[in-house]
Amino acid sequence: MNIGAIMSLIEETSTYKSYGKVIQVIGLMIESLGPRTHIGEVCYIHTTNEQKKTVMAEVVGFKGDNIILMPYTEVSEIAPGCLVEATGKPLTIKVGRSLLGHVIDPLGRSLDQTHLPNGLHDYVTDQAPPNPMLRPPIQEPIQTGVKSIDSLLTVGKGQRIGLFAGSGVGKSTLLGMIARNSNADINVIALIGERGREVREFLEKELGQSGLKKSIVVVATSDQPALMRIKGAYTATAISEYFRNLGYDVNLLMDSITRVAMAQREIGLATGEPPTTKGYTPSVFNILPKLLERTGTSEHGTITAFYTVLVDGDDMNDPIADAVRGILDGHFILDRKLAERGHFPAINILKSISRVMNQIVDRNHIKIAQQLRSYLATFEENRELIQIGAYKKGTNRNVDQAIHLQPKIATFLKQDMNDYYAFSETVRMMEDLIHGRNRE
């Protein structure tokens, strides 16, 4: 850093600290008289007990001249009169390439009992989305290593995809497969609202050592306050942006965006917002596009984002599912019926779509994929007739071909969680399947 930059930093540094004091605590909210702050600013609350703890909190609203704060952690030591110190800054984390392989919390602190490496840089977690006029179009496919995706639902570098499913249909397993097998430079994985038991299971079983080596994992478990769960999503997105600005192709895998919305609903209701659809507050539908639009392409690099969306009772018209589907560039539906038949990954190809696939693959790939979809659709339309034996062979040539190819297509779309297929290999296998049918 040169002398001019140091002098500028000294001039910008405040020479005094601004304090307020806690006047009441109601539920999730801490109300204080002063200090002078703005929305999103981090404050320190100094407790008066023997431990003299310092509690981090964020300004989430105002009530007259009073400040409404929400702590990042559960607290029981705060009492009336505790000093509230303004920092003048939003939440900032440490980030850098040496962070790869580490598991951190939403505040950027290590969770795996290791010290954070040296040489990290400060980065503000709340950033504005890129200028839409500076976003390059999506032009190149990215390999996920999952046959059913690379063949029929091809994802482009910088695309944003939603994985829609109920609980227990294989979302986490599919995310782990993508993280291990993708040819992206770096994975940033956000586990938001997960059970504490599932975190280590995901790291050891789904992700594995090979996946963790090129990943940064951000964890906010379900027992943590709502603000920490929201900040988990913001921190993971900010880390992705940092590497995108350096020119990397980044995968952001967030499980799940629904729990982020639920956390924002908690905060909205606590600050007095009126509940609307299914109890969700207006701020939920305000933050979703702001968060999701931060990913995608930029003039420097790309963030290919996969967001899991929990749907209550497999209802795809859930308000959060509906809002997210309208923002993203594609949706993959994980079908419980397929999972019950032992078909994994349980992606329902006919109900899923990649909105940029036709722009990023060649004509031959598109033609073969459309043929495969056609056979799947024909078989599904006649499934009941076929199962009860009401369909007679020779009645319809297309149905005959669909019935003949169905076992081969099902085998092609199935994949063990430890299997890996390169993009070119997947396309060749799909071609062989279709050409084999033509030769007979």
Side-chain angles (χ1 to χ4, degrees):
M1 187 179 289
N2 58 37
I3 297 297
I6 294 173
M7 293 301 295
S8 176
L9 187 63
I10 292 172
E11 290 174 3
E12 292 173 3
T13 302
S14 177
T15 55
Y16 64 92
K17 290 184 178 181
S18 178
Y19 289 95
K21 65 177 182 178
V22 173
I23 55 176
Q24 68 173 347
V25 178
I26 301 176
L28 303 173
M29 297 298 144
I30 300 168
E31 190 173 335
S32 76
L33 181 62
R36 293 187 63 181
T37 58
H38 56 78
I39 293 288
E41 183 175 336
V42 174
C43 294
Y44 294 129
I45 302 173
H46 300 278
T47 62
T48 55
N49 57 10
E50 293 180 1
Q51 286 80 17
K52 299 288 184 183
K53 286 186 177 179
T54 300
V55 177
M56 288 181 69
E58 184 173 306
V59 179
V60 295
F62 303 97
K63 185 178 179 181
D65 292 333
N66 294 342
I67 312 299
I68 307 297
L69 299 147
M70 180 172 277
Y72 287 121
T73 54
E74 294 289 354
V75 291
S76 56
E77 300 90 353
I78 294 176
C82 286
L83 285 179
V84 179
E85 177 188 344
T87 64
K89 298 177 181 178
L91 181 63
T92 303
I93 58 166
K94 297 282 188 181
V95 63
R97 189 165 175 81
S98 55
L99 201 59
L100 288 172
H102 286 265
V103 182
I104 61 174
D105 72 2
L107 305 183
R109 302 174 303 199
S110 178
L111 271 184
D112 50 9
Q113 297 183 338
T114 60
H115 295 291
L116 290 180
N118 297 324
L120 301 178
H121 305 280
D122 289 336
Y123 199 78
V124 176
T125 61
D126 195 356
Q127 302 281 341
N131 185 327
M133 294 304 294
L134 298 178
R135 284 185 184 268
I138 299 169
Q139 297 176 326
E140 186 181 348
I142 190 168
Q143 173 187 291
T144 65
V146 180
K147 287 187 293 181
S148 53
I149 295 176
D150 288 344
S151 59
L152 299 168
L153 300 164
T154 311
V155 176
K157 289 183 179 179
Q159 189 173 352
R160 299 161 304 158
I161 294 291
L163 305 178
F164 293 75
S167 57
V169 190
K171 298 184 301 299
S172 297
T173 303
L174 181 56
L175 286 183
M177 290 171 68
I178 294 171
R180 290 195 312 274
N181 300 337
S182 171
N183 61 356
D185 301 317
I186 291 168
N187 296 315
V188 180
I189 302 169
L191 303 178
I192 310 298
E194 289 287 320
R195 304 175 188 89
R197 172 186 62 82
E198 292 177 331
V199 173
R200 189 163 178 180
E201 285 184 7
F202 176 83
L203 294 174
E204 294 180 358
K205 294 182 181 179
E206 274 82 10
L207 189 59
Q209 284 297 320
S210 60
L212 186 59
K213 284 180 182 177
K214 67 169 188 174
S215 302
I216 299 169
V217 184
V218 182
V219 176
T221 51
S222 57
D223 60 296
Q224 292 184 294
L227 189 60
M228 280 289 268
R229 280 174 269 146
I230 291 175
K231 290 302 169 185
Y234 278 70
T235 295
T237 306
I239 293 171
S240 303
E241 290 171 321
Y242 171 83
F243 287 109
R244 178 179 64 183
N245 293 341
L246 294 178
Y248 290 102
D249 292 321
V250 184
N251 273 348
L252 171 62
L253 304 104
M254 189 177 295
D255 185 14
S256 74
I257 196 68
T258 307
R259 294 194 181 107
V260 176
M262 289 176 174
Q264 181 60 38
R265 177 174 62 182
E266 285 183 44
I267 293 175
L269 292 173
T271 54
E273 282 189 74
T276 54
T277 312
K278 276 199 174 181
Y280 288 102
T281 56
S283 62
V284 174
F285 302 99
N286 182 40
I287 71 157
L288 280 176
K290 289 182 178 178
L291 178 64
L292 300 179
E293 285 292 338
R294 287 171 60 180
T295 56
T297 61
S298 79
E299 53 192 328
H300 306 292
T302 65
I303 301 173
T304 307
F306 297 86
Y307 300 98
T308 66
V309 184
L310 285 168
V311 284
D312 293 333
D314 297 324
D315 177 17
M316 297 300 166
N317 294 318
D318 175 89
I320 298 303
D322 206 38
V324 171
R325 190 166 53 237
I327 299 168
L328 299 179
D329 309 317
H331 53 270
F332 299 166
I333 308 298
L334 274 69
D335 195 326
R336 190 173 299 279
K337 289 181 180 178
L338 288 174
E340 288 169 352
R341 294 203 293 262
H343 182 118
F344 291 101
I347 301 173
N348 188 320
I349 299 296
L350 298 177
K351 292 183 179 179
S352 305
I353 189 171
S354 169
R355 291 179 181 168
V356 304
M357 177 176 174
N358 289 352
Q359 305 165 25
I360 58 176
V361 298
D362 58 46
R363 288 180 178 273
N364 184 53
H365 187 154
I366 294 171
K367 183 180 177 181
I368 295 171
Q370 287 174 342
Q371 282 182 286
L372 212 61
R373 273 181 172 269
S374 175
Y375 292 132
L376 278 172
T378 300
F379 186 85
E380 286 301 320
E381 287 170 6
N382 297 275
R383 178 182 284 274
E384 290 186 7
L385 290 174
I386 296 166
Q387 287 180 335
I388 64 174
Y391 176 77
K392 292 183 179 180
K393 186 176 180 182
T395 305
N396 185 302
R397 185 182 175 187
N398 287 335
V399 177
D400 290 343
Q401 290 173 336
I403 293 171
H404 173 69
L405 284 175
Q406 179 60 24
K408 297 178 182 179
I409 294 173
T411 301
F412 172 73
L413 295 177
K414 286 181 183 179
Q415 184 172 337
D416 186 82
M417 63 176 291
N418 295 313
D419 290 344
Y420 163 80
Y421 296 91
F423 187 89
S424 58
E425 183 184 2
T426 295
V427 175
R428 180 185 55 76
M429 291 172 70
M430 183 170 63
E431 286 179 342
D432 290 345
L433 195 158
I434 295 296
H435 291 160
R437 186 268 308 167
N438 288 335
R439 286 193 294 269
E440 292 181 358

